[in-house]
Amino acid sequence: MTRIMAAIAAATALTLAVSCDPPEPSYAGFADIPAAGWPYADTLDIEPVLPDSVAVGRLAVAVRHTNGYDYRNLWLEIATPMLDSVVADTVNVELADDYGRWYGRGVGVSYMTIDTLPGSYCLTRGRSARVRHVMRVDTLDAVEQIGLIFIPD
């Protein structure tokens, strides 16, 4: 009986090892938001760590917020330095569904949501992206951190 159980365990382990893809490498940079809130005019400088001096890949934005966030989405303007220019994107990050259930995962009252931006980006090490919220409030409360995650191609 133990031989059969050992064979089943070995077959299961082999199946899992063959079927699971290794995780994609990613490189990130995060900026903390003061507890007093995020004023409309404040721009965050975020420099994602890159695997090389120039890297091509996808970009995702991560938003960490508390249960006290009053809206179901967060509008961000992300200005990303490319090799010879700056590309500005306005992004709507949906944080909750129509019924107010948070999409993000977290512990306690802190949630994190990650949303991938469309297109491909060519970033240069040492050049920061600039992020600001474009919500219709002077100071945005209950947002704790904003991050940019670079996933190389």
Side-chain angles (χ1 to χ4, degrees):
M1 187 65 137
T2 51
R3 277 187 172 172
I4 294 173
M5 291 174 63
I8 291 171
T12 303
L14 180 61
T15 302
L16 288 174
V18 169
S19 66
C20 294
D21 292 331
E24 292 182 359
S26 62
Y27 307 89
F30 284 84
D32 293 326
I33 302 203
W38 187 5
Y40 185 81
D42 279 4
T43 301
L44 305 172
D45 289 326
I46 302 173
E47 184 180 338
V49 176
L50 298 176
D52 204 350
S53 58
V54 176
V56 176
R58 293 172 290 152
L59 201 58
V61 61
V63 177
R64 190 162 66 102
H65 64 91
T66 68
N67 201 26
Y69 187 71
D70 290 332
Y71 310 99
R72 68 180 293 257
N73 63 345
L74 173 61
W75 284 91
L76 297 172
E77 182 183 81
I78 303 172
T80 311
M82 301 293 251
L83 285 175
D84 57 352
S85 64
V86 174
V87 174
D89 293 312
T90 301
V91 179
N92 178 21
V93 181
E94 295 212 7
L95 301 176
D97 64 16
D98 291 337
Y99 301 102
R101 290 184 297 252
W102 299 116
Y103 288 132
R105 304 268 183 201
V107 177
V109 297
S110 187
Y111 301 90
M112 180 172 281
T113 300
I114 300 173
D115 196 4
T116 305
L117 302 178
S120 184
Y121 291 81
C122 182
L123 303 180
T124 305
R125 185 181 292 156
R127 296 184 68 193
S128 297
R130 299 182 61 96
V131 180
R132 70 181 185 106
H133 79 83
V134 289
M135 299 290 286
R136 294 182 180 169
V137 294
D138 287 333
T139 301
L140 193 60
D141 293 320
V143 176
E144 300 174 320
Q145 250 182 357
I146 299 292
L148 293 178
I149 301 167
F150 180 78
I151 305 160
D153 285 342

